[in-house]
Amino acid sequence: FWQMQQEKVKPDVVTFVSVVKACADLAALELGKQIHALIIKSGFESDGVTGIALVDMYAKCGSIEHARQVFDKMSKRNVVLWTAMIAGYALHGHG
């Protein structure tokens, strides 16, 4: 991803979702925050798929507060976004 950035190739939604998922799988919170900042800068923060990936990533990285902040900013909350948020709460013992 960073090499892609160095070569001035602009990531799209699919790229960001893939990188955010990798951060979630690695529990790489700080890297995930950096990617989130790039998502905001690129204008993809309000995209539903990106939002779902961010909620999932923050929850899996142990930051349910950040997951909720992303969730609260989403203007359209579909069943997949709700499920990601509910799963995040369950992961952290919130019923």
Side-chain angles (χ1 to χ4, degrees), residues 7-67:
E7 294 181 17
K8 306 292 187 215
V9 177
K10 291 192 179 228
D12 62 7
V13 171
V14 175
T15 306
F16 280 125
V17 169
S18 297
V19 174
V20 169
K21 184 183 179 330
C23 292
D25 291 344
L26 296 170
L29 180 59
E30 291 308 314
L31 182 57
K33 287 180 179 180
Q34 291 175 31
I35 301 301
H36 188 180
L38 288 173
I39 289 169
I40 293 169
K41 185 177 176 182
S42 298
F44 293 120
E45 184 180 30
S46 62
D47 180 85
V49 178
T50 308
I52 292 163
L54 287 167
V55 167
D56 182 63
M57 183 269 299
Y58 279 122
K60 287 180 178 174
C61 289
S63 184
I64 198 69
E65 298 83 14
H66 280 100

Side-chain angles (χ1 to χ4, degrees), residues 56-87:
D56 182 63
M57 183 269 299
Y58 279 122
K60 287 180 178 174
C61 289
S63 184
I64 198 69
E65 298 83 14
H66 280 100
R68 184 58 195 245
Q69 288 173 1
V70 172
F71 178 86
D72 287 343
K73 287 182 182 178
M74 299 302 295
S75 60
K76 295 181 183 177
R77 296 185 187 130
N78 63 22
V79 69
V80 181
L81 181 64
W82 275 101
T83 301
M85 193 70 243
I86 292 166

